[in-house]
Amino acid sequence: MPIPILMPALSPTMEEGTLARWLKKEGDDVTSGDVIAEIETDKATMEVEAIDEGKIGKILIGEGTEGVKVNAPIAVILEEGETTSDIDETSLSSEAAPTVEAPADEPAEVSNNGSAAPAPQAKPAASPSANGRIKSSPVARRIASEANLPLEAIQGTGPNGRIVKADVLKAKEQGISAPANTPAQLPVAGIDERLYPADSYTTIKNDGMRKTIAKRLHQSFNTDVPHFPLNIDLELTNLLAARERVNAASPAKGEDGFFKISVNDFIIKACAQALMAVPEANASYTDEAILQHHHADIGVAVPIEGGLITPIVWKAETKGLKEISAEIKDLAGRARSKKLKPEEYQGGTFSVSNLGMFGIQSFSSIVNQPQGAILSVGTGEERAVVREGQIVVRTMMTVTLTCDHRVVDGAVGAALLAKLKTFIEDPAAMLL
């Protein structure tokens, strides 16, 4: 019997995704393991593989369709001897799936008696549905994007006000457009127009990533996790000297084996060693027990378009500076192009967020659940300090450890920072 291809769950928390692109078309033969489509989640673009052998009998969800629920049918594979007449779409799933893309010519709706339905009445410009998305077909969105047309200003004549190809073409003829590289204005509920007139601001739609960040950080900060910060100043004199010596041993740029170790690479390594020395801080809280982790799996905060992602250096305590540096560069590059796999950014036991490159002296981050703590790293700068009764200039850096008080007590957090201070101020101590 025909085999449905279901929208996969690419992470434990995924509820829906966007079907970005089909790599196979109807009628194509597929074998198990063939990549057939690309799915976008809030933080990554993933490939979907066929798990059965046969022929793509019907594509149920068009390219670019957003809000596709997990386990909703997206296509059907036909086995040998089967035809499209064997497909019973009503029995595939009881889940409501997004509307399938209409044919290119967008035929008129047909009434129950088989005759053409009356021409639709003029409708107001499109407005977001309950989930904030404009109802539109993938073809309509593609044409609108290519022509720089704001969907919010186009009247939808399709079912339930859905914008179809003909609507976009009509709007294109009428010359509706949005300024280049300017986010389209969206209606915002609850805004007092007496205080904020509609022409005084530009709205930027919250995408899946921004909504996920907001939801999880709000949950962490306001409901679940009692936070407290600890900060300490670290001297970088010996670390900077060690970094200079290490980088001097690198082959020339462009040659095989070239590397360039950053201060942040030293910090990741030092955190890993400190967590091994103070295992009580390398822990997560659950209602049943505290999980004390055997390895330092350290998340490194990476800013990307539209938000933030924290790819993980797994078992960082087992890796050298060169390996950590190369891994972070690879993870950060793929994070910015949304090519990370979920297992590369989910989980971890500890995180590091570094804003020093922006000149931030100190700050406190929000704990990234289910981890027990996160280190916020400020800029390294020359300061006047007292050494042996004398005022001298030293390069100093302030770091702040934000702890989940349910699992990391004040004394434990202080012990972790003390050990981190040892490793940062005397990098050779990490070799012991």
Side-chain angles (χ1 to χ4, degrees), residues 108-120:
E109 295 182 65
V110 177
S111 63
N112 292 335
N113 61 12
S115 60

Side-chain angles (χ1 to χ4, degrees), residues 99-228:
T99 307
V100 182
E101 171 58 15
D105 56 353
E106 304 266 359
E109 295 182 65
V110 177
S111 63
N112 292 335
N113 61 12
S115 60
Q121 298 296 315
K123 301 179 181 180
S127 60
S129 58
N131 61 11
R133 298 187 178 93
I134 299 296
K135 296 177 180 178
S136 57
S137 72
V139 166
R141 288 196 297 275
R142 177 177 56 79
I143 296 175
S145 176
E146 292 173 351
N148 196 28
L149 297 175
L151 288 175
E152 295 76 19
I154 299 175
Q155 293 181 349
T157 60
N160 299 315
R162 178 180 168 89
I163 298 173
V164 295
K165 177 183 177 182
D167 300 326
V168 180
L169 293 177
K170 180 179 179 181
K172 187 176 180 180
E173 291 177 0
Q174 294 175 344
I176 298 175
S177 62
N181 300 321
T182 301
Q185 188 79 346
L186 299 177
V188 180
I191 295 296
D192 188 338
E193 292 197 4
R194 294 170 299 178
L195 301 177
Y196 305 103
D199 60 356
S200 70
Y201 60 87
T202 296
T203 59
I204 302 174
K205 179 182 175 182
N206 289 327
D207 58 11
M209 179 187 298
R210 180 53 57 187
K211 290 178 181 178
T212 299
I213 290 172
K215 178 180 178 182
R216 291 179 181 170
L217 294 187
H218 180 272
Q219 179 186 39
S220 177
F221 193 76
N222 286 339
T223 58
D224 289 347
V225 179
H227 297 71
F228 72 93

Side-chain angles (χ1 to χ4, degrees), residues 76-92:
V76 180
I77 290 180
L78 298 176
E79 297 183 296
E80 187 176 355
E82 295 178 333
T83 66
T84 54
S85 62
D86 296 313
I87 300 174
D88 182 3
E89 292 187 36
T90 59
S91 66
L92 290 177

Side-chain angles (χ1 to χ4, degrees), residues 346-368:
Q346 293 179 346
T349 66
F350 187 86
S351 287
V352 173
S353 179
N354 191 338
L355 294 180
M357 68 287 294
F358 299 108
I360 301 300
Q361 188 176 65
S362 67
F363 66 104
S364 297
S365 300
I366 297 174
V367 175
N368 185 20

